[in-house]
């Protein structure tokens, strides 16, 4: 059986896994969490896990080191791991605690299942958790995996080639060299300013924790209108990043650092395509803004928009791919240092960020239970020790603030989320 | 021009089971054209047709359909 090798973006997430583990955390595990009205039948979920594993052997493969690189090999499993947790209390804190236990449960790389399904049951509702190991896919891929797991549609979906693989095959070595050089120059430019960091960890990270902020449909609509007004039609991602920068600045993230620097993914999948399910199909860009720009919303968003436009004009949205390809020949340690740190040794990312927009396809029900909501969780290295994951489900925006429990002050996180809401809705604080 | 735009959109940016069925007045934003895709489309147009499309005109009035997109490009040629 032949399984795909890790593509450069997969390998990049494996490096982040290494860095997260070095921080003292479980590894690069993420979760897509569906909030269900009711409790689905266990047998039906288990059946679907088996069917899915038979259709897609990669879903139950495991990672194996082969020389300097890594590859998927068959694990011998014939079904996705599926576990049920029954809670004694209906308390939301109890549900979240169990969810975090799942996300914080580590295993060696070679024993990490690409996908696991967990059902957290309360009295009359439940959480269905798709936990995935990041080298297997990205957040959009996880949405597609979930769709394929539970879709009753028998319509054959035309398999799409991996966009990352396709681009790599299209480019000759000279084009790769030029793009890679552009990426290096871009990063060198970013490194002229020391990044603002939310945490200065004095001790090893303990475990990931989570705070959710939900907006109703009217608030979400207002936020999207604000995003369009401030950042134009191309700017929901930039709007969220800019608001977060201002919220962090308003709550005194740290006194050190000259600029906020935020990596964000450029997903290369075609929108509405139901495949490829597997493989990380992204390159990434940076949004950077000096602290002096943060005083004016208008100046900030105008700067971020111009920076984004210039980056895409220069092809920087693709330029990280050749660099990631070259990096995959380095040791995980060395690659990790280069990815995260400026030459001065300081962390480059002020926070991790992901915006997946509306879930596609959006499930109405899973195994007979109506889906009420959805959000995401992701481990994050420390520093920066803070990740913001944004997504929209049924017209409602959810912000998932992921951070390290023994390094972040609860009061500060509370202030940060309030400041973020004020920025998003453009209210005076 | 319309056919070229359509080919680029459905080969590179958005998936459609039947791109041929997509008409000049069908909604591109509904079809899945998101923010990053719009940026890539604008740059494709600028390179392909030698026009400059101003940021402040990036609006649904100009991007919502193939017809509107074509008219917008022609205004700047």
């Amino acid at each position: 059986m032949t399984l795909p090798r890790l593509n450069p973006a997969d390998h990049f997430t494996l490096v982040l896994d290494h860095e997260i583990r070095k921080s003292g955390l479980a590894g690069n595990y993420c979760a897509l969490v569906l909030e269900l009205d009711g409790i689905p039948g266990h047998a039906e979920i288990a059946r679907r896990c088996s069917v899915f594993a038979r259709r897609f052997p990669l879903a139950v493969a495991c990672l194996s080191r082969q020389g300097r690189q890594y590859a998927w090999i068959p694990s011998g499993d014939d079904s996705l791991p599926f576990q049920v947790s029954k809670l004694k209390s209906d308390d939301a804190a109890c549900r979240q605690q169990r969810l975090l236990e799942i996300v914080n449960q580590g295993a060696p790389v070679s024993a990490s299942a690409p996908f696991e399904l967990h059902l957290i049951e309360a009295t009359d509702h439940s959480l269905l958790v798709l936990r995935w190991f990041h080298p297997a896919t990205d957040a959009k891929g996880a949405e597609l995996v979930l769709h394929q797991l539970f879709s009753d549609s028998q319509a054959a979906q035309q398999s799409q080639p991996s966009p990352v693989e396709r681009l790599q095959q299209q480019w000759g070595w000279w084009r790769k060299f030029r793009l890679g050089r552009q990426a290096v120059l871009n990063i060198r430019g970013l490194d002229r300013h020391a990044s603002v960091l939310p945490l200065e960890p004095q001790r090893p990270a303990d475990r990931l924790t989570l705070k959710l902020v939900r907006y109703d449909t009217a608030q979400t609509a207002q936020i999207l209108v604000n995003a369009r007004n401030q950042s134009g039609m191309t700017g929901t991602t930039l709007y969220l990043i800019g608001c977060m920068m201002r919220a962090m600045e308003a709550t005194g993230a740290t006194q050190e650092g000259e600029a906020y620097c935020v990596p964000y993914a450029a997903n290369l999948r075609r929108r509405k395509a139901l495949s490829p399910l597997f493989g990380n199909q992204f390159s990434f860009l940076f949004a950077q803004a000096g602290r002096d720009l943060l005083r004016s919303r208008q100046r900030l968003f105008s700067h971020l928009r111009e920076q984004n436009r210039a980056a895409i004009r220069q092809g920087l949205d693709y330029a990280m791919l050749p660099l990631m390809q070259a990096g995959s020949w380095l040791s995980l340690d060395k690659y990790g240092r280069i990815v995260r740190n400026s030459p001065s040794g300081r962390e480059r990312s002020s926070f991790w960020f992901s915006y997946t927009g509306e879930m596609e396809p959006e499930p109405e029900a899973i195994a007979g239970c109506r889906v009420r909501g959805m959000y995401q969780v992701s481990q994050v290295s420390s520093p920066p020790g803070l990740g913001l994951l944004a997504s929209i489900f049924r017209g409602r925006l959810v912000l998932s603030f992921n951070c390290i429990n023994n390094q972040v002050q609860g009061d500060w996180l509370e202030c940060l989320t309030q400041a973020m809401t004020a920025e998003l809705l453009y209210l005076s604080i | 021009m319309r056919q070229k735009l359509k080919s680029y959109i459905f080969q590179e940016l958005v998936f459609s089971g039947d791109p041929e069925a997509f008409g000049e007045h069908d909604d591109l934003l509904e079809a899945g054209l998101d923010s990053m895709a719009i940026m890539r489309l604008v740059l494709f147009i600028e390179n392909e047709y030698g026009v400059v499309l101003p940021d402040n005109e990036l609006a649904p009035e100009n991007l919502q359909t193939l017809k509107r997109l074509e008219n917008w490009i022609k205004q700047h040629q």
Side-chain angles (χ1 to χ4, degrees):
Chain A
M1 185 192 318
T2 308
L3 296 175
R5 289 181 305 168
L6 261 63
N7 73 35
D10 299 337
H11 195 95
F12 177 80
T13 63
L14 184 62
V15 169
L16 296 181
D17 172 78
H18 183 71
E19 294 296 305
I20 290 168
R21 287 171 196 264
K22 268 171 56 184
S23 303
L25 297 160
N28 200 354
Y29 302 109
C30 306
L32 193 61
V33 184
L34 296 183
E35 300 169 296
L36 306 182
D37 284 337
I39 296 170
H42 301 172
E44 171 61 4
I45 296 180
R47 184 186 71 78
R48 287 182 182 268
C49 286
S50 295
V51 170
F52 188 77
R54 281 200 299 274
R55 284 179 66 198
F56 302 106
L58 178 64
V60 286
C62 58
L63 269 182
S64 167
R65 186 170 176 171
Q66 298 186 349
R68 276 179 176 259
Q69 298 199 314
Y70 289 76
W72 296 107
I73 57 168
S75 66
D77 294 337
D78 56 6
S79 180
L80 261 59
F82 170 50
Q83 288 180 5
V84 179
S85 311
K86 294 191 182 192
L87 301 181
K88 289 180 183 151
S89 162
D90 270 352
D91 189 22
C94 230
R95 283 197 301 274
Q96 183 158 311
Q97 186 185 348
R98 179 63 195 125
L99 167 66
L100 288 171
E101 283 168 6
I102 290 166
V103 179
N104 280 304
Q105 189 172 4
V109 167
S110 60
S112 289
F115 300 94
E116 293 177 5
L117 216 56
H118 295 261
L119 186 64
I120 303 174
E121 293 183 0
T123 313
D124 58 358
H125 55 278
S126 52
L127 297 182
L128 185 72
V129 182
L130 176 70
R131 185 183 105 148
W132 80 92
F133 186 39
H134 214 323
T137 195
D138 49 39
K140 271 289 165 196
E143 289 180 3
L144 300 177
V145 165
L146 200 74
H147 171 74
Q148 289 284 356
L149 252 168
F150 290 101
S151 170
D152 285 321
S153 166
Q154 297 299 310
Q157 177 59 39
Q158 189 187 351
S159 180
Q160 304 292 317
S162 152
V164 166
E165 302 282 350
R166 188 171 63 90
L167 285 170
Q168 279 188 289
Q169 285 162 10
Q170 270 178 10
W171 295 337
W173 71 268
W174 177 242
R175 175 107 192 257
K176 286 182 186 173
F177 174 77
R178 273 196 306 137
L179 283 169
R181 187 165 179 279
Q182 275 181 307
V184 168
L185 292 175
N186 177 238
I187 292 170
R188 210 173 277 169
L190 297 171
D191 287 343
R192 283 201 293 268
H193 305 286
S195 296
V196 172
L197 299 177
L199 310 171
E200 293 289 351
Q202 304 297 319
R203 49 190 167 167
D206 176 20
R207 64 208 307 268
L208 186 83
T209 191
L210 170 72
K211 182 171 176 61
L212 297 174
V213 181
R214 302 164 192 265
Y215 300 94
D216 62 27
T217 49
Q219 289 172 315
T220 302
Q222 180 61 48
I223 290 166
L224 294 178
V225 167
N226 287 354
R228 181 166 297 182
N229 290 341
Q230 292 284 350
S231 310
M233 275 197 78
T234 57
T236 310
T237 294
L238 299 180
Y239 186 66
L240 292 167
I241 289 174
C243 286
M244 181 70 168
M245 287 175 175
R246 275 176 54 90
M248 283 175 68
E249 187 71 1
T251 49
T254 171
Q255 296 307 307
E256 293 179 31
E258 299 155 353
Y260 286 82
C261 183
V262 184
Y264 61 100
N267 204 304
L268 303 173
R269 284 185 174 80
R270 282 190 294 167
R271 287 290 308 276
K272 306 265 185 187
L274 294 180
S275 63
L277 277 66
F278 306 114
N280 287 269
Q281 309 296 342
F282 68 83
S283 181
F284 62 93
L285 293 162
F286 289 96
Q288 189 188 51
R291 296 180 98 158
D292 56 322
L293 281 169
L294 295 176
R295 287 186 217 111
S296 155
R297 278 173 64 97
Q298 196 163 352
R299 277 185 67 208
L300 172 65
F301 290 118
S302 165
H303 163 78
L304 292 177
R305 197 173 58 222
E306 191 47 47
Q307 188 177 59
N308 172 269
R309 192 174 168 86
I312 295 181
R313 192 180 290 281
Q314 292 168 44
L316 287 172
D317 48 342
Y318 295 131
M320 292 297 166
L321 282 178
L323 219 54
M324 289 195 281
Q325 189 177 9
S328 65
W329 292 98
L330 300 173
S331 70
L332 294 181
D333 248 347
K334 186 166 186 185
Y335 191 7
R337 272 199 307 278
I338 293 172
V339 163
R340 285 179 60 194
N341 297 338
S342 67
S344 68
R346 191 174 168 86
E347 176 76 25
R348 191 175 283 123
S349 302
S350 296
F351 57 91
W352 288 16
F353 177 81
S354 162
Y355 172 57
T356 50
E358 292 188 35
M359 188 174 184
E360 276 180 357
E362 194 173 78
E364 195 60 40
I366 294 274
C369 296
R370 183 178 173 275
V371 183
R372 189 197 314 164
M374 182 277 282
Y375 57 89
Q376 297 176 29
V377 186
S378 172
Q379 292 275 0
V380 57
S381 69
S382 171
L386 176 65
L388 171 62
L389 313 179
S391 54
I392 296 179
F393 190 82
R394 298 237 171 85
R396 291 191 292 264
L397 175 69
V398 182
L399 300 184
S400 171
F401 292 82
N402 297 244
C403 49
I404 315 297
N405 73 327
N406 63 333
Q407 295 178 354
V408 68
Q409 303 284 332
D411 292 350
W412 176 73
L413 190 58
E414 187 60 37
C415 288
L416 177 72
T417 56
Q418 284 176 14
M420 182 67 176
T421 295
E423 285 297 332
L424 288 173
L425 293 168
Y426 200 16
L427 307 170
S428 57
I429 301 172
Chain B
M1 180 189 284
R2 200 172 304 163
Q3 195 52 43
K4 196 176 241 180
L5 291 171
K6 189 169 162 179
S7 296
Y8 178 75
I9 290 167
F10 289 108
Q11 278 173 19
E12 301 290 333
L13 306 176
V14 174
F15 174 81
S16 166
D18 184 12
E20 286 312 310
F22 194 87
E24 62 177 357
H25 296 294
D26 288 335
D27 194 325
L28 285 167
L29 306 180
E30 283 283 309
L33 210 58
D34 66 358
S35 57
M36 190 64 88
I38 289 172
M39 204 67 224
R40 291 200 174 117
L41 175 62
V42 166
L43 293 174
F44 168 78
I45 291 167
E46 290 185 347
N47 289 334
E48 194 68 25
Y49 300 106
V51 293
V52 177
L53 300 174
D55 256 3
N56 59 5
E57 293 180 16
L58 281 170
E61 301 85 84
N62 292 326
L63 284 153
Q64 199 135 22
T65 67
L66 283 167
K67 179 81 178 162
R68 289 183 185 191
L69 193 55
E70 192 178 27
N71 288 341
W72 186 35
I73 297 167
K74 284 179 178 165
Q75 281 170 27
H76 291 278
Q77 276 183 323

